[in-house]
Amino acid sequence: MADELITLSDVAAAAGVSLSTASKALNGTDRISAATREHVRVTADRLGFRHNALARSFARGRSQTIGVLTYRASNPFTRVVLATAATELGAREQAILLYDARLGEHDITESVLQLRARRIDGVIVIGTGTSFPAPSITDRFDVPVTYAFTFTEDPDDVTITSDDDQIGRLAMTHLLSTGRRRIAHLTAEPNDAAAVKRAAGAGAVLADAGLDWVTPVRFGRWRENWGEEAVREVLADAPDVDAIFCGSDAIARGAERGLRMAGRDVPGDVALIGVDNWEQLMHDQRVSRHLTTIDVGLEEIGRRVAAQLLDPDPKPGIQYVAPHVVIADTA
């Protein structure tokens, strides 16, 4: 029978129950006993029966399809969240329908209209980071909407995202634990929410230790060339700096290049820590782990956002995922 198409009628006959009872047992109705439900399920598994997903969706009045709206699906951060959420949804027999809307209002509106026409059961919106808010589209749907790796202007939106304040605190705690005391910070624009929160978290831990930045925080861009440029400013202003917290791994790579060009040993003279765990994100087997960094928890965000979407009583507001330190060569 293994090579044949197993039908619900086959399961009912093998289990010795009616077709109606077999259907109720496999569709989770509470109108039959637990013992009968388990007997039918075991029989179905033994025969290799698989539900007809389309027929079951009509029977339940649901499509078992989740709409996923991304702003840039090719973004490495988005890919991790998307893959993990898709795996979690697949384990719960949910399919996904992906729309890459980018940031334009026209694209978002068109994607919303298409998703609404597809009889979806819910929507996941995946951002590319926590630098700036994403538009809230919750009120455009009559199904649950959750947001991942972003935040919106509506504080009641169900959102799972990274904890930038804790990222900064964790980075500074690690540097202090290694004995560093003359610490600088290089990060992105001063109007960037992620940059500001990471700097604030790190600064709070530094202050609790009775210390201050060895030189004012350098705000710039999430770019390697900015890291290299900024580290020259730091060395000119505070030549005895012994550690640098960089707001991203890209900045840290540039900073390391600038330090080595200046004749400084990393981490002997100056320790470096970044954010993003970029080397793991790239999955490049040619590159060994080198940069000490903070992993922001992208996989956990993907798992939790899928779980929240399917939760019958989702928790409104922002839920933060805990980051963790990835120790390597630079700190």
Side-chain angles (χ1 to χ4, degrees):
M1 246 181 164
D3 295 327
E4 300 175 6
L5 176 63
I6 305 301
T7 67
L8 186 60
S9 295
D10 296 326
V11 175
V17 300
S18 69
L19 184 61
S20 174
T21 297
S23 176
K24 291 176 182 178
L26 296 177
N27 284 317
T29 180
D30 59 0
R31 295 180 182 177
I32 60 172
S33 69
T36 299
R37 182 184 301 110
E38 180 65 10
H39 173 60
V40 173
R41 186 193 65 76
V42 169
T43 302
D45 288 345
R46 176 171 56 82
L47 295 177
F49 172 75
R50 293 295 179 267
H51 287 286
N52 182 316
L54 182 60
R56 183 168 58 178
S57 71
F58 279 116
R60 293 180 172 180
R62 294 187 282 116
S63 67
Q64 290 184 265
T65 301
I66 304 301
V68 178
L69 185 61
T70 62
Y71 293 136
R72 190 152 53 100
S74 62
N75 180 280
F77 303 105
T78 303
R79 288 203 306 263
V80 175
V81 178
L82 174 60
T84 312
T87 299
E88 182 74 17
L89 291 170
R92 303 187 186 204
E93 299 186 331
Q94 304 292 315
I96 67 167
L97 188 61
L98 176 64
Y99 284 86
D100 191 17
R102 302 187 182 274
L103 291 172
E105 175 61 27
H106 171 76
D107 289 336
I108 292 176
T109 299
E110 181 63 25
S111 295
V112 167
L113 291 174
Q114 292 189 39
L115 284 171
R116 289 174 59 182
R118 293 297 186 111
R119 199 183 173 207
I120 53 172
D121 294 333
V123 178
I124 294 176
V125 180
I126 303 177
T128 56
T130 53
S131 291
F132 303 97
S136 175
I137 57 172
T138 305
D139 61 0
R140 302 195 194 187
F141 293 95
D142 56 5
V143 295
V145 180
T146 60
Y147 298 82
F149 197 47
T150 187
F151 65 100
T152 76
E153 296 171 348
D154 187 340
D156 291 329
D157 281 336
V158 179
T159 303
I160 314 293
T161 195
S162 56
D163 189 340
D164 289 305
D165 179 81
Q166 187 60 28
I167 286 169
R169 290 175 178 272
L170 196 58
M172 188 54 55
T173 298
H174 177 72
L175 290 177
L176 291 174
S177 73
T178 64
R180 310 295 171 146
R181 292 296 181 268
R182 297 185 60 76
I183 304 173
H185 183 35
L186 316 178
T187 192
E189 296 88 348
N191 63 335
D192 184 303
V196 170
K197 290 178 182 178
R198 291 172 189 180
V205 171
L206 199 60
D208 287 345
L211 301 170
D212 197 358
W213 299 114
V214 70
T215 183
V217 173
R218 261 54 178 197
F219 290 97
R221 303 174 300 282
W222 301 117
R223 296 287 184 268
E224 279 193 40
N225 59 358
W226 162 242
E228 184 176 343
E229 174 187 335
V231 86
R232 288 197 293 267
E233 296 179 9
V234 168
L235 291 175
D237 193 35
D240 56 349
V241 60
D242 65 8
I244 301 177
F245 166 38
C246 299
S248 74
D249 286 351
I251 294 173
R253 288 195 301 271
E256 182 177 15
R257 186 164 58 247
L259 286 168
R260 295 193 186 283
M261 290 174 62
R264 302 300 177 92
D265 180 71
V266 178
D269 298 323
V270 183
L272 276 179
I273 188 168
V275 178
D276 291 333
N277 201 3
W278 186 258
E279 290 164 345
Q280 179 173 311
L281 281 178
M282 290 297 94
H283 297 291
D284 189 342
Q285 301 302 317
R286 297 167 300 178
V287 179
S288 60
R289 182 171 298 286
H290 171 68
L291 186 67
T292 297
T293 185
I294 305 295
D295 187 305
V296 305
L298 297 175
E299 292 183 349
E300 181 64 13
I301 290 172
R303 282 190 288 269
R304 285 175 54 180
V305 78
Q308 275 290 292
L309 185 70
L310 300 178
D311 191 323
D313 187 25
K315 180 181 178 182
I318 295 180
Q319 300 174 50
Y320 293 108
V321 168
H324 64 272
V325 179
V326 179
I327 299 175
D329 300 334
T330 61

